């Protein structure tokens, strides 16, 4: 087993003592980097996901170019619906499209339960190759979408403005919805276990669309399945992070899901959340991603505000409150990383 030289991220996830706060950034392997765009000019997005050499290359870019404390494997949450049998395309400047969206039980019966070692072997190969090339410099994070967020894409067929199709589906066909959530949950649990077995040091579950549900619907259609997945993941001490965007209300329920770390978006005050659930879980976040458009003094002041809000001691993984935007100047991210590395020493 490779020894990880910079293990600050894993230590903070487990709330062990650190001498500074670690930082990584959602969507750090992406279009804001000219080096990513250079690879992307030659290959389409899905080819990049399916070619371990290319996935490894862009996964490592932010570690080498920006000095990030953890790598996250380059892939997408929608590889699971594709592996279950749906046709996926990334439409240029529009986002993902899943063809023949799911609207009834017959379509659900046509979907298959995945075997990650067969159907998503290319991701596992990318994880193993990246792990090898990182050679212990920083930990590697694996990820999946939550069942709720994946079902939302599978029913809407892509992004959505008001989520009418998924809401019609859960309110008119709740049994079919729960059947589909169960199938996706089994696939996600097996997939995350396989990623850990292939070398991921931590895994994150993205519940991007948790926040479109009322508190009780969140519990019924999202949280229950996240909790079930966490209990099924085969792991030793690899931390599980849950990022549920816009979920203000069920934070204490989320903290009881078995997750080691809860990711927060930028609309919450880190210090308040720490007071309510900080004795149960570590917290990740939560700088507003658009702060990276601001001048350096503003970036520094806001980064310090986030760290001050969390306060002294371990249990904080610095991150943005959602993914980095494609038109951010990479220099500004580098500046943020340097500020966090330097200024966070005061809090430990
Ligand atoms: O964080 C990382 O750097 C790892 C890679 C990663 C990608 N997608 C690469 C990607 C991760 C963790 C994801 C997760 C993902 N994918 C989520 C959950 C996270 C979130 O942002 O809430 C979601 C909802 C998706 C689905 C998806 N994939 C969308 C909506 C889009 C289009 C987004 C856009 O801004 O155009 C994608 C495409 C995608 N996934 C890109 C990247 C780098 C851009 C594709 C390109 O290069 O053209």
């Amino acid at each position: 087993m490779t020894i990880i030289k910079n293990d600050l991220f894993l230590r903070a996830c487990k709330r062990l003592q650190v001498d500074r706060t670690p930082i990584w950034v959602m969507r750090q392997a992406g279009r804001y980097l000219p080096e990513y765009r250079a690879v992307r000019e030659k290959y389409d997005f899905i080819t990049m996901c399916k070619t371990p050499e290319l996935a490894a290359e862009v996964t490592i870019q932010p570690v080498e170019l920006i000095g990030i404390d953890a790598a996250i494997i380059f892939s997408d949450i929608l590889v699971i619906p594709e592996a279950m049998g749906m046709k996926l395309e990334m439409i240029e400047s529009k986002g993902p499209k899943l063809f023949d969206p799911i609207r009834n039980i017959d379509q659900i019966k046509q979907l298959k339960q995945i075997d990650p070692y067969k159907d998503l072997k290319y991701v596992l190969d990318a994880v193993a190759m990246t792990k090898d090339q990182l050679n212990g410099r920083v930990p590697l994070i694996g990820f999946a979408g939550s069942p709720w967020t994946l079902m939302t894409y599978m029913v809407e067929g892509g992004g959505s403005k008001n989520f009418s199709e998924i809401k019609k589906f859960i309110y008119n066909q709740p049994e079919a919805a729960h059947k589909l959530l169960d199938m996706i949950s089994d696939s996600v649990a097996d997939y995350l276990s396989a990623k850990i077995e292939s070398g991921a040091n931590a895994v994150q579950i993205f519940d991007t669309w948790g926040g479109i549900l009322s508190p009780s619907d969140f519990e019924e259609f999202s949280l229950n399945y996240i909790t079930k997945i966490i209990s099924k993941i085969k792991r030793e001490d690899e931390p599980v992070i849950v990022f549920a965007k816009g979920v203000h209300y069920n934070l204490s329920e989320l903290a009881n899901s078995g997750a080691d770390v809860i990711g927060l978006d930028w609309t919450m005050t880190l210090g308040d959340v720490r007071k309510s659930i900080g004795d149960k879980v570590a917290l990740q976040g939560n700088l507003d991603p658009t702060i990276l458009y601001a001048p350096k003094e503003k970036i520094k002041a806001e980064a310090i505000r986030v760290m001050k809000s969390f306060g002294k001691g371990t249990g904080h993984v610095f991150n943005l409150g959602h993914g980095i935007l494609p038109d951010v100047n990479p220099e500004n991210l580098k500046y943020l990383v340097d500020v966090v590395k330097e200024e966070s020493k005061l809090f430990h």
Side-chain angles (χ1 to χ4, degrees):
M1 214 179 78
T2 336
I3 306 255
I4 295 171
K5 293 174 202 97
N6 171 357
D7 65 350
L8 289 169
F9 161 73
L10 294 172
R11 293 186 63 84
C13 288
K14 297 174 194 166
R15 290 179 291 148
L16 299 171
Q17 205 194 335
V18 287
D19 54 15
R20 67 167 177 82
T21 306
I23 174 168
W24 73 279
V25 166
M26 290 186 277
R27 291 282 174 95
Q28 64 189 22
R31 284 164 297 181
Y32 74 100
L33 278 177
E35 292 80 358
Y36 171 91
R37 295 197 300 269
V39 180
R40 181 70 175 74
E41 249 169 46
K42 289 188 256 161
Y43 307 94
D44 67 78
F45 177 75
I46 294 174
T47 302
M48 281 173 67
C49 289
K50 293 190 173 174
T51 313
E53 289 78 7
L54 297 175
E57 179 182 348
V58 298
T59 299
I60 296 173
Q61 282 176 352
V63 176
E64 293 183 344
L65 298 164
I66 311 281
I68 296 268
D69 291 315
I72 179 162
I73 190 70
F74 178 82
S75 183
D76 201 82
I77 61 168
L78 299 177
V79 298
I80 286 198
E82 191 193 41
M84 291 174 85
M86 295 185 80
K87 181 171 180 267
L88 169 69
E89 268 180 29
M90 273 301 159
I91 314 278
E92 212 58 53
S93 73
K94 274 191 78 183
K97 181 170 161 70
L98 286 166
F99 290 79
D100 299 321
I102 307 294
R103 301 287 158 82
N104 60 56
I105 191 77
D106 291 334
Q107 285 172 294
I108 295 170
K109 287 183 182 151
Q110 304 277 313
L111 294 170
K112 67 170 190 174
Q113 207 66 59
I114 65 156
D115 171 357
Y117 292 96
K118 248 181 39 216
D119 304 313
L120 291 166
K121 185 172 179 298
Y122 64 89
V123 183
L124 304 180
D125 289 345
V127 168
M129 187 178 283
T130 306
K131 189 69 190 282
D132 202 47
Q133 292 181 13
L134 278 171
N135 195 21
R137 279 176 284 178
V138 293
L140 179 61
I141 305 168
F143 69 88
S146 72
W148 167 252
T149 291
L150 291 178
M151 182 168 83
T152 300
Y153 276 105
M154 291 164 83
V155 171
E156 292 287 342
S160 177
K161 266 210 188 90
N162 44 19
F163 300 96
S164 37
E165 293 303 332
I166 183 67
K167 293 290 181 92
K168 282 184 216 162
F169 184 63
I170 62 171
Y171 298 133
N172 291 293
Q173 304 182 68
E175 275 173 29
H178 283 295
K179 161 109 181 96
L180 181 52
L181 287 166
D182 255 325
M183 281 181 75
I184 302 171
S185 300
D186 290 342
S187 294
V188 169
D190 290 349
Y191 178 56
L192 290 177
S193 300
K195 272 184 166 171
I196 290 173
E197 201 190 310
S198 305
N201 303 105
V203 290
Q204 174 157 322
I205 298 170
F206 283 92
D207 195 11
T208 306
W209 299 129
I212 66 166
L213 292 168
S214 69
S216 65
D217 282 345
F218 177 76
E219 203 163 327
E220 176 177 350
F221 292 101
S222 188
L223 181 64
N224 284 346
Y225 294 94
I226 290 175
T227 306
K228 185 171 148 196
I229 288 170
I230 297 175
S231 73
K232 283 182 71 182
I233 296 174
K234 291 196 186 68
R235 55 177 173 147
E236 274 165 30
D237 65 347
E238 289 82 4
V240 175
I241 308 167
V242 175
F243 172 71
K245 188 166 177 285
V247 179
H248 296 251
Y249 33 82
N250 300 57
L251 282 175
S252 52
E253 286 82 354
L254 267 175
N256 288 327
S257 65
D260 302 278
V261 186
I262 300 297
L264 303 176
D265 68 44
W266 64 97
T267 62
M268 289 175 248
T269 305
L270 209 46
D272 293 346
V273 179
R274 186 185 190 187
K275 275 189 208 106
S276 62
I277 60 170
D279 57 340
K280 287 208 181 106
V281 288
L283 300 178
Q284 176 174 283
N286 70 343
L287 186 75
D288 182 339
T290 60
I291 293 292
L292 291 176
Y293 293 138
K296 290 205 164 67
E297 311 79 70
K298 175 79 174 161
I299 295 174
K300 182 171 181 176
E302 292 297 326
I304 291 175
R305 189 203 301 280
V306 168
M307 292 188 279
K308 259 199 182 141
S309 174
F310 184 84
K312 284 204 171 199
T314 188
H316 181 209
V317 174
F318 202 106
N319 204 315
L320 303 178
H322 200 190
I324 185 167
L325 295 159
D327 57 349
V328 160
N329 182 345
E331 244 184 61
N332 288 7
L333 178 61
K334 175 89 177 69
Y335 179 74
L336 170 69
V337 168
D338 291 343
V339 163
V340 170
K341 285 182 173 178
E342 193 49 40
E343 301 293 329
S344 67
K345 290 178 191 159
L346 294 171
F347 297 91
H348 296 283

